[in-house]
Amino acid sequence: TNRFSSFASVIDTKTDEVVKEVSVPWYTIDVAFSPDGQRAYLTNRWKDSVLSWDLEVGSSFRVVGTNYEDARPEDPMGIPVADNPRDLAVSPDGSRLFVTSVTSLKLGIIDTQKLEEISRVCAAERQREFFVTAAPRRFRGATSSPFNPLAIF
């Protein structure tokens, strides 16, 4: 996404060229894709939410699900999460989405099938506890790195 803008750039990874610009709500920060590439998740810091797009990917790129273009600025959108969500990570099997909130020091966990926060799902199923670890990724020569969250139920 393009910071402080209302569009995201789609880049052809073979040519490193922008091939399309897609409208996004203002202050959409990060994007992560499901393992099959059919869904994109985007953090929106203005609405404190995670947006979900169903995608059609092939020789072109098209948002086929909710794209939020017709949403009014005052309307809620997406999956509500902690204040100022930022970084995203998708579990290898695509069943969980992890979202960090640096300002509130929280880690949100979303069930990608139901598009609900796991904390709410756990409460409904009376599962009140889980273990979360967030080890940093190791990058040679780097001064910092994103963390790699893991929740164990």
Side-chain angles (χ1 to χ4, degrees):
T1 63
N2 298 292
R3 191 171 184 179
F4 303 120
S5 70
S6 58
F7 68 94
S9 299
V10 179
I11 300 171
D12 182 327
T13 57
K14 292 180 183 173
T15 64
D16 285 335
E17 298 204 11
V18 175
V19 294
K20 187 172 190 168
E21 291 180 346
V22 180
S23 295
V24 296
W26 186 77
Y27 216 180
T28 297
I29 297 295
D30 195 17
V31 63
F33 294 91
S34 61
D36 64 5
Q38 300 299 306
R39 182 174 278 173
Y41 303 99
L42 304 96
T43 51
N44 185 277
R45 293 180 78 177
W46 178 50
K47 291 293 188 173
D48 296 330
S49 64
V50 172
L51 311 177
S52 173
W53 282 352
D54 290 323
L55 305 174
E56 184 177 280
V57 182
S59 59
S60 64
F61 175 96
R62 188 167 74 94
V63 177
V64 293
T66 304
N67 62 10
Y68 307 98
E69 281 183 0
D70 297 327
R72 297 176 310 173
E74 63 272 14
D75 290 344
M77 61 180 71
I79 305 160
V81 293
D83 295 342
N84 288 305
R86 189 171 149 191
D87 300 315
L88 293 169
V90 180
S91 64
D93 67 358
S95 67
R96 302 287 185 254
L97 176 69
F98 303 93
V99 56
T100 62
S101 173
V102 177
T103 57
S104 63
L105 298 175
K106 293 184 179 177
L107 173 67
I109 306 169
I110 295 171
D111 180 319
T112 59
Q113 297 301 310
K114 296 178 182 178
L115 296 179
E116 294 178 342
E117 289 179 281
I118 288 292
S119 58
R120 292 180 186 174
V121 172
C122 287
E125 296 175 3
R126 299 198 186 287
Q127 181 171 346
R128 306 266 187 233
E129 297 178 356
F130 54 90
F131 176 76
V132 175
T133 182
R137 295 179 181 164
R138 299 188 195 287
F139 293 105
R140 185 173 294 222
T143 57
S144 66
S145 74
F147 64 87
N148 189 17
L150 174 66
I152 302 169
F153 291 89

